[in-house]
Amino acid sequence: ENKQKTKALKTFSSIWLYGHSLPEACDYMLIRWQKSKYDTESLRMQRIKLAMAEGEYDLARYLSYQLDKSDQKFIQAHR
């Protein structure tokens, strides 16, 4: 069972790296993933960059709230 959970969380990391908001159907897995060791600052920055490249500035700002203040200001300044 733990191997299945680990595999699911690792797989979700690749799903999460998307430049747009995820559908509500992903919410359950998203919550579990965010509580895991797989939600890293590096992945968060990658998704922010993807969101900004897609013009999804609101998503980028939302994702930045868990970063340090200097990164938040940098992201909020780019629109």
Side-chain angles (χ1 to χ4, degrees):
E1 183 179 332
N2 277 343
K3 287 182 182 181
Q4 289 177 328
K5 287 180 184 178
T6 299
K7 184 176 180 181
L9 291 169
K10 284 181 181 180
T11 300
F12 191 80
S13 294
S14 64
I15 293 168
W16 191 77
L17 283 175
Y18 182 63
H20 298 276
S21 293
L22 297 173
E24 286 183 29
C26 294
D27 285 355
Y28 174 78
M29 195 62 194
L30 177 60
I31 290 166
R32 294 189 63 135
W33 182 81
Q34 287 175 325
K35 292 179 181 180
S36 77
K37 65 182 178 184
Y38 299 103
D39 181 10
T40 65
E41 187 169 319
S42 174
L43 282 178
R44 186 166 295 277
M45 286 301 294
Q46 287 179 53
R47 186 164 185 215
I48 289 169
K49 289 175 185 177
L50 289 169
M52 292 174 75
E54 295 290 333
E56 296 284 344
Y57 299 105
D58 290 338
L59 175 60
R61 276 193 300 280
Y62 173 78
L63 294 169
S64 75
Y65 290 128
Q66 292 183 353
L67 301 175
D68 64 49
K69 295 291 182 193
S70 63
D71 288 333
Q72 286 181 24
K73 288 179 184 177
F74 173 78
I75 291 161
Q76 291 172 3
H78 287 80
R79 181 160 200 182

Coordinates of all heavy atoms in Angstrom, one line a residue:
E1 N 0.8 -1.2 0.0 CA 0.0 0.0 0.0 C 0.9 1.3 0.0 O 0.6 2.2 -0.7 CB -0.9 0.0 1.2 CG -1.9 1.2 1.2 CD -2.8 1.1 2.4 OE1 -3.1 0.0 2.9 OE2 -3.2 2.2 2.8
N2 N 1.9 1.3 0.8 CA 2.8 2.5 0.8 C 3.5 2.7 -0.5 O 3.7 3.8 -0.9 CB 3.8 2.4 1.9 CG 3.3 2.8 3.3 OD1 2.3 3.4 3.3 ND2 3.9 2.4 4.3
K3 N 3.8 1.6 -1.2 CA 4.5 1.7 -2.5 C 3.5 2.4 -3.5 O 3.9 3.2 -4.3 CB 4.9 0.4 -3.0 CG 6.1 -0.2 -2.3 CD 6.6 -1.5 -2.9 CE 7.8 -2.0 -2.1 NZ 8.3 -3.3 -2.7
Q4 N 2.2 2.0 -3.4 CA 1.2 2.6 -4.3 C 1.0 4.1 -4.0 O 0.9 4.9 -4.9 CB -0.1 1.9 -4.2 CG -0.1 0.5 -4.8 CD -1.4 -0.2 -4.6 OE1 -2.1 0.0 -3.6 NE2 -1.7 -1.1 -5.5
K5 N 1.0 4.4 -2.7 CA 0.9 5.9 -2.4 C 2.1 6.7 -2.9 O 1.9 7.7 -3.4 CB 0.7 6.0 -0.9 CG -0.6 5.6 -0.3 CD -0.7 5.8 1.2 CE -2.0 5.2 1.7 NZ -2.0 5.4 3.2
T6 N 3.3 6.1 -2.7 CA 4.5 6.8 -3.1 C 4.5 7.0 -4.6 O 4.8 8.0 -5.1 CB 5.7 6.0 -2.7 OG1 5.7 5.9 -1.2 CG2 7.0 6.6 -3.1
K7 N 4.1 5.9 -5.3 CA 4.0 6.0 -6.8 C 3.0 7.1 -7.2 O 3.3 7.9 -8.1 CB 3.7 4.7 -7.4 CG 3.7 4.6 -8.9 CD 3.5 3.3 -9.4 CE 3.5 3.3 -11.0 NZ 3.3 2.0 -11.6
A8 N 1.9 7.1 -6.6 CA 0.8 8.1 -6.9 C 1.3 9.5 -6.7 O 1.1 10.4 -7.5 CB -0.5 7.8 -6.1
L9 N 2.0 9.7 -5.5 CA 2.5 11.0 -5.2 C 3.6 11.5 -6.2 O 3.6 12.6 -6.7 CB 3.0 11.1 -3.8 CG 1.9 11.0 -2.7 CD1 2.6 10.8 -1.4 CD2 1.0 12.2 -2.7
K10 N 4.4 10.6 -6.6 CA 5.5 10.9 -7.6 C 4.8 11.2 -8.9 O 5.3 12.2 -9.6 CB 6.4 9.7 -7.7 CG 7.4 9.6 -6.6 CD 8.4 8.4 -6.9 CE 9.4 8.2 -5.8 NZ 10.3 7.1 -6.0
T11 N 3.9 10.4 -9.3 CA 3.2 10.7 -10.6 C 2.4 12.0 -10.6 O 2.4 12.7 -11.6 CB 2.2 9.5 -10.9 OG1 2.9 8.3 -10.9 CG2 1.4 9.8 -12.2
F12 N 1.9 12.4 -9.4 CA 1.1 13.6 -9.3 C 2.1 14.8 -9.5 O 1.7 15.9 -10.0 CB 0.4 13.7 -8.0 CG -0.6 14.9 -8.0 CD1 -1.8 14.8 -8.6 CD2 -0.2 16.1 -7.4 CE1 -2.7 15.9 -8.7 CE2 -1.1 17.2 -7.4 CZ -2.3 17.1 -8.1
S13 N 3.3 14.7 -9.2 CA 4.3 15.7 -9.4 C 4.4 16.2 -10.8 O 4.4 17.3 -11.1 CB 5.7 15.3 -8.9 OG 5.7 15.1 -7.5
S14 N 4.3 15.2 -11.7 CA 4.4 15.5 -13.2 C 3.0 16.1 -13.6 O 3.0 17.0 -14.5 CB 4.7 14.3 -14.0 OG 3.7 13.3 -13.9
I15 N 1.9 15.7 -13.0 CA 0.6 16.3 -13.4 C 0.6 17.7 -12.9 O 0.0 18.6 -13.5 CB -0.5 15.5 -12.7 CG1 -0.5 14.1 -13.4 CG2 -1.8 16.2 -12.8 CD1 -1.4 13.1 -12.7
W16 N 1.1 18.0 -11.7 CA 1.1 19.3 -11.1 C 1.9 20.3 -11.9 O 1.6 21.5 -11.8 CB 1.6 19.2 -9.6 CG 1.4 20.4 -8.8 CD1 0.2 20.8 -8.2 CD2 2.4 21.4 -8.5 NE1 0.4 22.0 -7.6 CE2 1.7 22.4 -7.7 CE3 3.7 21.6 -8.7 CZ2 2.4 23.5 -7.2 CZ3 4.4 22.7 -8.2 CH2 3.7 23.6 -7.4
L17 N 2.9 19.9 -12.6 CA 3.7 20.8 -13.4 C 3.0 21.2 -14.7 O 3.3 20.7 -15.8 CB 5.1 20.2 -13.7 CG 6.1 20.2 -12.6 CD1 7.4 19.5 -13.0 CD2 6.4 21.6 -12.1
Y18 N 2.0 22.0 -14.5 CA 1.1 22.5 -15.6 C 0.9 23.9 -15.4 O 0.7 24.4 -14.3 CB -0.2 21.6 -15.5 CG -1.2 21.9 -16.5 CD1 -1.0 21.7 -17.9 CD2 -2.5 22.4 -16.2 CE1 -1.9 21.9 -18.8 CE2 -3.4 22.6 -17.1 CZ -3.2 22.4 -18.4 OH -4.1 22.6 -19.4
G19 N 0.9 24.7 -16.5 CA 0.8 26.2 -16.4 C -0.6 26.7 -16.2 O -0.7 28.0 -16.3
H20 N -1.5 25.9 -16.0 CA -2.9 26.4 -15.7 C -3.5 25.7 -14.4 O -2.9 24.8 -13.9 CB -3.8 26.0 -16.9 CG -3.4 26.6 -18.2 ND1 -3.8 27.8 -18.6 CD2 -2.6 26.1 -19.2 CE1 -3.2 28.1 -19.8 NE2 -2.5 27.0 -20.2
S21 N -4.6 26.3 -14.0 CA -5.2 25.7 -12.8 C -5.6 24.2 -13.1 O -6.0 23.9 -14.2 CB -6.4 26.5 -12.4 OG -6.1 27.8 -11.9
L22 N -5.5 23.4 -12.1 CA -5.9 22.0 -12.2 C -7.4 21.9 -12.0 O -8.0 22.7 -11.2 CB -5.1 21.1 -11.3 CG -3.6 21.1 -11.5 CD1 -3.0 20.3 -10.3 CD2 -3.3 20.4 -12.8
P23 N -8.1 20.9 -12.6 CA -9.5 20.7 -12.3 C -9.8 20.3 -10.9 O -8.9 19.8 -10.2 CB -9.9 19.6 -13.3 CG -8.6 19.0 -13.7 CD -7.5 19.9 -13.5
E24 N -11.0 20.6 -10.4 CA -11.4 20.2 -9.0 C -11.2 18.7 -8.8 O -11.0 18.4 -7.6 CB -12.8 20.6 -8.8 CG -13.0 22.1 -8.6 CD -14.4 22.5 -8.3 OE1 -15.2 21.7 -7.7 OE2 -14.8 23.6 -8.6
A25 N -11.3 17.9 -9.8 CA -11.1 16.5 -9.6 C -9.8 16.1 -9.0 O -9.6 15.1 -8.4 CB -11.3 15.8 -10.9
C26 N -8.8 17.0 -9.1 CA -7.4 16.8 -8.6 C -7.3 17.2 -7.2 O -6.2 17.0 -6.6 CB -6.4 17.6 -9.5 SG -6.3 17.0 -11.2
D27 N -8.3 17.9 -6.6 CA -8.1 18.5 -5.3 C -7.7 17.5 -4.2 O -6.9 17.8 -3.4 CB -9.4 19.2 -4.8 CG -9.7 20.5 -5.5 OD1 -8.8 20.9 -6.3 OD2 -10.7 21.1 -5.4
Y28 N -8.3 16.3 -4.1 CA -8.0 15.3 -3.1 C -6.5 15.0 -3.2 O -5.8 15.0 -2.2 CB -8.9 14.1 -3.3 CG -8.5 13.0 -2.3 CD1 -8.9 13.0 -1.0 CD2 -7.7 11.9 -2.8 CE1 -8.5 12.0 -0.1 CE2 -7.4 10.9 -1.9 CZ -7.7 11.0 -0.6 OH -7.4 10.0 0.3
M29 N -6.1 14.7 -4.4 CA -4.7 14.3 -4.5 C -3.8 15.5 -4.3 O -2.7 15.3 -3.7 CB -4.5 13.7 -6.0 CG -3.2 12.9 -6.1 SD -3.2 11.5 -5.0 CE -1.5 11.1 -5.2
L30 N -4.2 16.6 -4.7 CA -3.4 17.8 -4.5 C -3.1 18.1 -3.0 O -2.0 18.4 -2.6 CB -4.1 19.1 -5.1 CG -3.4 20.4 -4.9 CD1 -2.0 20.4 -5.5 CD2 -4.3 21.5 -5.5
I31 N -4.1 17.9 -2.2 CA -4.0 18.1 -0.7 C -3.0 17.1 -0.2 O -2.1 17.5 0.6 CB -5.3 18.0 0.0 CG1 -6.2 19.3 -0.4 CG2 -5.2 17.9 1.5 CD1 -7.6 19.1 -0.1
R32 N -3.1 15.9 -0.6 CA -2.2 14.8 -0.1 C -0.8 15.1 -0.6 O 0.2 14.9 0.2 CB -2.7 13.4 -0.5 CG -4.0 13.1 0.1 CD -4.3 11.7 -0.2 NE -3.3 10.9 0.5 CZ -3.6 9.8 1.2 NH1 -4.8 9.4 1.4 NH2 -2.6 9.1 1.7
W33 N -0.6 15.5 -1.8 CA 0.7 15.8 -2.4 C 1.3 17.0 -1.7 O 2.5 17.0 -1.4 CB 0.5 16.1 -3.9 CG 1.8 16.3 -4.6 CD1 2.7 15.4 -5.1 CD2 2.3 17.6 -5.0 NE1 3.7 16.0 -5.7 CE2 3.6 17.3 -5.6 CE3 1.9 18.9 -4.8 CZ2 4.4 18.4 -6.1 CZ3 2.7 19.9 -5.3 CH2 3.9 19.6 -5.9
Q34 N 0.6 18.0 -1.4 CA 1.1 19.2 -0.7 C 1.6 18.9 0.7 O 2.5 19.5 1.2 CB 0.1 20.3 -0.6 CG -0.2 21.0 -2.0 CD -1.3 22.0 -1.9 OE1 -2.2 21.9 -1.2 NE2 -1.1 23.0 -2.7
K35 N 1.1 17.9 1.3 CA 1.5 17.4 2.7 C 2.7 16.5 2.6 O 3.3 16.1 3.6 CB 0.3 16.8 3.4 CG -0.8 17.8 3.7 CD -1.9 17.0 4.5 CE -3.0 18.0 4.8 NZ -4.1 17.4 5.5
S36 N 3.1 16.1 1.4 CA 4.1 15.1 1.2 C 5.5 15.8 1.0 O 5.5 17.1 0.9 CB 3.9 14.2 0.0 OG 4.1 14.9 -1.2
K37 N 6.5 15.0 0.9 CA 7.9 15.6 0.6 C 8.0 16.0 -0.8 O 9.0 16.6 -1.2 CB 8.9 14.6 1.0 CG 8.9 13.3 0.2 CD 9.9 12.3 0.7 CE 9.8 11.0 -0.2 NZ 10.7 10.0 0.3
Y38 N 7.1 15.7 -1.6 CA 7.2 15.9 -3.1 C 6.9 17.3 -3.5 O 7.3 17.8 -4.6 CB 6.4 14.9 -3.9 CG 6.8 13.5 -3.6 CD1 6.1 12.7 -2.8 CD2 7.9 13.0 -4.2 CE1 6.5 11.4 -2.5 CE2 8.4 11.7 -4.0 CZ 7.6 10.9 -3.1 OH 8.0 9.6 -2.9
D39 N 6.2 18.1 -2.6 CA 5.9 19.5 -2.9 C 7.1 20.3 -2.5 O 7.2 20.7 -1.3 CB 4.7 19.9 -2.1 CG 4.3 21.4 -2.4 OD1 4.9 22.0 -3.3 OD2 3.4 21.9 -1.7
T40 N 8.0 20.5 -3.4 CA 9.3 21.2 -3.1 C 9.2 22.7 -3.7 O 8.4 23.0 -4.6 CB 10.5 20.5 -3.7 OG1 10.4 20.5 -5.1 CG2 10.5 19.1 -3.2
E41 N 10.1 23.5 -3.1 CA 10.2 24.9 -3.6 C 10.6 24.9 -5.1 O 10.2 25.7 -5.9 CB 11.1 25.7 -2.8 CG 11.1 27.1 -3.2 CD 11.9 28.0 -2.2 OE1 11.8 27.8 -0.9 OE2 12.6 28.9 -2.6
S42 N 11.5 23.9 -5.5 CA 11.9 23.8 -6.8 C 10.8 23.6 -7.8 O 10.6 24.2 -8.8 CB 13.0 22.7 -7.0 OG 13.4 22.5 -8.3
L43 N 9.9 22.6 -7.4 CA 8.8 22.3 -8.3 C 7.8 23.5 -8.3 O 7.2 23.8 -9.4 CB 8.1 21.0 -7.8 CG 8.7 19.7 -8.2 CD1 7.9 18.6 -7.6 CD2 8.8 19.5 -9.7
R44 N 7.6 24.1 -7.2 CA 6.7 25.3 -7.1 C 7.2 26.4 -8.1 O 6.5 27.0 -8.8 CB 6.6 25.8 -5.7 CG 5.6 26.9 -5.5 CD 5.3 27.1 -4.0 NE 4.7 25.9 -3.4 CZ 3.4 25.6 -3.5 NH1 2.6 26.5 -4.1 NH2 2.9 24.6 -2.9
M45 N 8.5 26.6 -8.1 CA 9.1 27.7 -8.9 C 8.9 27.2 -10.4 O 8.6 28.1 -11.3 CB 10.6 27.9 -8.6 CG 10.8 28.7 -7.4 SD 10.0 30.3 -7.3 CE 11.0 31.2 -8.6
Q46 N 9.1 26.0 -10.7 CA 8.9 25.5 -12.1 C 7.5 25.7 -12.5 O 7.2 26.2 -13.7 CB 9.2 24.0 -12.2 CG 10.7 23.7 -12.1 CD 10.9 22.2 -12.2 OE1 10.4 21.5 -13.1 NE2 11.6 21.6 -11.3
R47 N 6.5 25.5 -11.7 CA 5.1 25.7 -12.0 C 4.8 27.1 -12.2 O 4.0 27.5 -13.0 CB 4.2 25.0 -11.0 CG 2.7 25.1 -11.5 CD 1.8 24.2 -10.8 NE 0.5 24.3 -11.4 CZ -0.6 24.2 -10.7 NH1 -0.6 23.9 -9.5 NH2 -1.8 24.3 -11.4
I48 N 5.4 28.0 -11.3 CA 5.1 29.4 -11.4 C 5.7 29.9 -12.7 O 5.0 30.7 -13.4 CB 5.8 30.1 -10.2 CG1 5.1 29.8 -8.9 CG2 5.9 31.6 -10.5 CD1 5.8 30.3 -7.7
K49 N 6.8 29.4 -13.2 CA 7.4 29.9 -14.5 C 6.5 29.4 -15.6 O 6.3 30.1 -16.6 CB 8.8 29.3 -14.6 CG 9.8 30.0 -13.7 CD 11.2 29.4 -13.8 CE 12.1 30.0 -12.8 NZ 13.4 29.3 -12.9
L50 N 6.0 28.2 -15.5 CA 5.0 27.7 -16.5 C 3.8 28.5 -16.6 O 3.3 28.9 -17.6 CB 4.6 26.2 -16.2 CG 5.7 25.2 -16.5 CD1 5.3 23.8 -15.9 CD2 6.0 25.0 -18.0
A51 N 3.2 28.9 -15.4 CA 2.0 29.7 -15.3 C 2.3 31.1 -15.9 O 1.4 31.6 -16.7 CB 1.5 29.8 -13.9
M52 N 3.4 31.7 -15.6 CA 3.7 33.0 -16.2 C 3.9 32.9 -17.7 O 3.4 33.8 -18.4 CB 4.9 33.5 -15.5 CG 4.7 33.9 -14.0 SD 6.1 34.4 -13.1 CE 6.4 36.0 -13.7
A53 N 4.5 31.9 -18.2 CA 4.7 31.7 -19.6 C 3.3 31.6 -20.3 O 3.2 32.0 -21.5 CB 5.6 30.5 -19.9
E54 N 2.4 31.0 -19.6 CA 1.0 30.9 -20.2 C 0.1 32.1 -19.9 O -1.1 32.1 -20.3 CB 0.3 29.6 -19.6 CG 1.0 28.3 -20.0 CD 0.8 28.0 -21.4 OE1 -0.2 28.4 -22.1 OE2 1.7 27.3 -22.0
G55 N 0.7 33.1 -19.3 CA -0.1 34.3 -19.0 C -1.0 34.1 -17.8 O -1.9 34.9 -17.5
E56 N -0.8 33.1 -17.0 CA -1.6 32.8 -15.8 C -1.0 33.4 -14.6 O -0.6 32.8 -13.6 CB -1.8 31.3 -15.6 CG -2.5 30.6 -16.8 CD -4.0 30.8 -16.7 OE1 -4.5 31.2 -15.7 OE2 -4.6 30.5 -17.7
Y57 N -1.1 34.8 -14.6 CA -0.4 35.5 -13.5 C -1.1 35.4 -12.1 O -0.4 35.4 -11.1 CB -0.3 37.0 -13.9 CG 0.5 37.2 -15.1 CD1 0.0 37.5 -16.3 CD2 1.9 37.0 -15.1 CE1 0.7 37.6 -17.5 CE2 2.7 37.1 -16.2 CZ 2.1 37.4 -17.4 OH 2.9 37.6 -18.5
D58 N -2.4 35.2 -12.1 CA -3.1 35.0 -10.9 C -2.7 33.7 -10.2 O -2.5 33.6 -9.0 CB -4.6 35.0 -11.0 CG -5.1 36.4 -11.4 OD1 -4.5 37.4 -11.0 OD2 -6.2 36.5 -11.9
L59 N -2.6 32.7 -11.0 CA -2.1 31.4 -10.6 C -0.7 31.5 -10.0 O -0.3 31.0 -9.0 CB -2.2 30.3 -11.7 CG -1.6 28.9 -11.3 CD1 -2.3 28.3 -10.1 CD2 -1.7 28.0 -12.5
A60 N 0.2 32.2 -10.8 CA 1.6 32.3 -10.3 C 1.7 33.1 -9.0 O 2.4 32.6 -8.1 CB 2.4 33.1 -11.4
R61 N 0.9 34.1 -8.8 CA 0.8 34.8 -7.5 C 0.3 33.9 -6.4 O 0.9 33.9 -5.3 CB 0.0 36.1 -7.6 CG 0.8 37.2 -8.2 CD 0.0 38.5 -8.0 NE -1.3 38.6 -8.6 CZ -1.5 38.8 -9.9 NH1 -0.5 39.0 -10.7 NH2 -2.7 38.8 -10.4
Y62 N -0.7 33.1 -6.7 CA -1.3 32.2 -5.7 C -0.2 31.2 -5.3 O 0.0 30.9 -4.1 CB -2.5 31.5 -6.3 CG -3.0 30.4 -5.4 CD1 -3.8 30.7 -4.2 CD2 -2.7 29.1 -5.6 CE1 -4.2 29.7 -3.4 CE2 -3.2 28.1 -4.8 CZ -3.9 28.4 -3.7 OH -4.4 27.4 -2.9
L63 N 0.5 30.7 -6.2 CA 1.5 29.7 -5.9 C 2.7 30.3 -5.2 O 3.4 29.6 -4.4 CB 2.0 29.0 -7.2 CG 1.0 28.2 -8.0 CD1 1.5 27.8 -9.4 CD2 0.6 26.9 -7.2
S64 N 2.9 31.5 -5.3 CA 4.1 32.2 -4.7 C 3.9 32.4 -3.2 O 4.9 32.7 -2.5 CB 4.4 33.5 -5.4 OG 3.4 34.5 -5.0
Y65 N 2.7 32.3 -2.7 CA 2.4 32.7 -1.3 C 3.2 31.8 -0.3 O 3.4 32.1 0.8 CB 0.9 32.6 -1.0 CG 0.2 33.8 -1.6 CD1 -0.9 33.6 -2.4 CD2 0.7 35.1 -1.4 CE1 -1.6 34.7 -2.9 CE2 0.0 36.2 -2.0 CZ -1.1 36.0 -2.8 OH -1.8 37.0 -3.3
Q66 N 3.6 30.6 -0.8 CA 4.4 29.7 0.1 C 5.9 29.9 -0.1 O 6.7 29.2 0.6 CB 4.0 28.3 -0.1 CG 2.6 28.0 0.3 CD 2.2 26.5 0.2 OE1 2.9 25.7 -0.4 NE2 1.0 26.2 0.7
L67 N 6.3 30.8 -0.9 CA 7.7 31.1 -1.1 C 8.1 32.2 -0.1 O 7.3 32.9 0.5 CB 8.0 31.6 -2.5 CG 7.6 30.6 -3.6 CD1 7.8 31.2 -5.0 CD2 8.4 29.3 -3.5
D68 N 9.4 32.5 -0.1 CA 9.9 33.6 0.8 C 9.5 34.9 0.2 O 9.1 35.0 -1.0 CB 11.4 33.5 1.1 CG 12.3 33.7 -0.2 OD1 12.0 34.6 -1.0 OD2 13.2 32.9 -0.4
K69 N 9.5 36.0 1.0 CA 9.0 37.3 0.6 C 9.7 37.9 -0.7 O 9.0 38.5 -1.5 CB 9.1 38.3 1.7 CG 8.3 37.9 2.9 CD 6.8 38.1 2.7 CE 6.0 37.8 3.9 NZ 4.6 37.6 3.6
S70 N 11.0 37.7 -0.8 CA 11.7 38.3 -2.0 C 11.2 37.6 -3.3 O 11.0 38.3 -4.3 CB 13.2 38.1 -1.8 OG 13.6 36.8 -1.8
D71 N 11.0 36.3 -3.2 CA 10.5 35.6 -4.4 C 9.0 36.0 -4.7 O 8.6 36.2 -5.9 CB 10.5 34.1 -4.3 CG 11.9 33.5 -4.4 OD1 12.8 34.2 -5.0 OD2 12.2 32.5 -3.7
Q72 N 8.2 36.2 -3.7 CA 6.9 36.7 -3.8 C 6.8 38.0 -4.5 O 6.1 38.3 -5.5 CB 6.2 36.8 -2.5 CG 5.8 35.5 -1.9 CD 5.0 35.7 -0.6 OE1 4.4 36.8 -0.3 NE2 5.1 34.7 0.3
K73 N 7.7 39.0 -4.1 CA 7.7 40.3 -4.7 C 8.2 40.2 -6.1 O 7.6 41.0 -7.0 CB 8.7 41.2 -3.9 CG 8.1 41.6 -2.5 CD 9.1 42.4 -1.7 CE 8.5 42.7 -0.4 NZ 9.5 43.5 0.4
F74 N 9.1 39.4 -6.4 CA 9.6 39.2 -7.8 C 8.5 38.8 -8.7 O 8.2 39.3 -9.8 CB 10.8 38.2 -7.9 CG 11.2 37.9 -9.3 CD1 12.0 38.8 -10.0 CD2 10.8 36.7 -9.9 CE1 12.3 38.5 -11.3 CE2 11.1 36.4 -11.2 CZ 11.9 37.3 -11.9
I75 N 7.7 37.8 -8.3 CA 6.6 37.2 -9.1 C 5.5 38.2 -9.2 O 4.9 38.4 -10.3 CB 6.2 35.9 -8.5 CG1 7.3 34.8 -8.7 CG2 4.9 35.4 -9.1 CD1 7.2 33.7 -7.8
Q76 N 5.2 38.9 -8.1 CA 4.1 39.9 -8.1 C 4.4 41.1 -9.0 O 3.5 41.7 -9.6 CB 3.7 40.3 -6.7 CG 3.1 39.2 -5.9 CD 2.9 39.5 -4.5 OE1 3.2 40.6 -4.0 NE2 2.4 38.5 -3.7
A77 N 5.7 41.4 -9.2 CA 6.1 42.5 -10.0 C 6.0 42.2 -11.5 O 6.0 43.1 -12.3 CB 7.5 42.9 -9.7
H78 N 6.0 40.9 -11.9 CA 6.0 40.5 -13.3 C 4.6 40.2 -13.7 O 4.0 39.2 -13.3 CB 6.9 39.3 -13.5 CG 8.3 39.7 -13.4 ND1 9.0 39.8 -12.3 CD2 9.2 39.9 -14.4 CE1 10.2 40.2 -12.5 NE2 10.4 40.2 -13.8
R79 N 4.1 41.1 -14.5 CA 2.7 40.9 -15.0 C 2.7 41.4 -16.4 O 3.2 42.3 -16.9 CB 1.7 41.6 -14.2 CG 0.3 41.4 -14.8 CD -0.7 41.6 -13.8 NE -1.9 40.8 -14.3 CZ -3.0 40.8 -13.8 NH1 -3.2 41.4 -12.7 NH2 -4.0 40.2 -14.3

